[in-house]
Amino acid sequence: MGWTDERVELLKKLWQDGLSASQIAKQLGGVTRNAVIGKVHRLGLSGRAAPSKPQRTVFKAPRPARVATAAPSAPRRIAEPVAAQPAPSPVRYVDEAPGMATVLTLGAHMCKWPIGDPALDSFTFCGRRSEETGPYCHEHAQVAYQPAQAKKKSSAAELARSLRRYI
């Protein structure tokens, strides 16, 4: 739908009344909010009687705190002493046999070497005391961290034999 003279005059009036572009678009019908904004810009309508603002909820000021007054004859309650709760038991390392630690009992300095199939209920971890530098006990660290193998120096005969593959 085009901009007729009547629609432009209605747009000017509604804009001066302080309606938003969305509200004007609804009243005019057949135009979008962006079309209204573009037309207002092209017409140079900048001043408004009252800028439209969304309705905001009015928050009440908080009430002052009430002072609790106790009856003068009311006795004061003395808090009963809280019974001392036993301290949690320290983490026990399994030194006898590996495979006694579960995910729930695994501590910070316990060997985290998995034992068994994780899909089974019998899955455990080693649980022995781990070394300071890693997550595994001494025995499992030797398995996990293998030293790099020294490279053999190849002789001329071995070099010739390996090059024959490419010739």
Side-chain angles (χ1 to χ4, degrees):
M1 181 167 276
W3 289 102
T4 62
D5 290 338
E6 296 85 30
R7 289 171 60 86
V8 171
E9 290 304 317
L10 181 58
L11 167 68
K12 288 180 182 178
K13 179 188 171 301
L14 294 174
W15 184 257
Q16 290 300 324
D17 289 343
L19 271 67
S20 70
S22 298
Q23 292 168 334
I24 295 171
K26 281 182 185 176
Q27 284 198 7
L28 289 175
V31 291
T32 64
R33 169 186 168 274
N34 286 338
V36 170
I37 292 171
K39 191 64 173 177
V40 165
H41 180 70
R42 287 189 299 277
L43 292 172
L45 303 175
S46 59
R48 289 176 155 234
S52 70
K53 291 183 181 178
Q55 288 287 335
R56 293 191 174 202
T57 57
V58 179
F59 294 103
K60 295 180 182 178
R63 293 188 297 177
R66 295 189 331 180
V67 178
T69 56
S73 61
R76 287 186 168 192
R77 282 184 67 183
I78 298 175
E80 295 180 21
V82 177
Q85 303 216 352
S89 61
V91 175
R92 295 187 181 129
Y93 298 100
V94 183
D95 287 327
E96 306 86 40
M100 300 303 291
T102 64
V103 173
L104 299 175
T105 61
L106 200 60
H109 296 288
M110 294 174 76
C111 179
K112 294 165 182 68
W113 187 267
I115 298 176
D117 184 5
L120 299 176
D121 290 337
S122 61
F123 176 71
T124 58
F125 294 92
C126 173
R128 288 186 277 188
R129 184 165 186 78
S130 65
E131 296 180 356
E132 298 295 322
T133 59
Y136 305 122
C137 64
H138 179 70
E139 291 81 18
H140 288 126
Q142 286 179 334
V143 175
Y145 306 116
Q146 297 280 327
Q149 299 292 328
K151 292 184 179 180
K152 294 190 298 182
K153 290 187 178 183
S154 57
S155 65
E158 288 180 39
L159 181 59
R161 185 176 39 221
S162 64
L163 286 176
R164 277 187 225 139
R165 286 186 279 175
Y166 301 107
I167 298 176

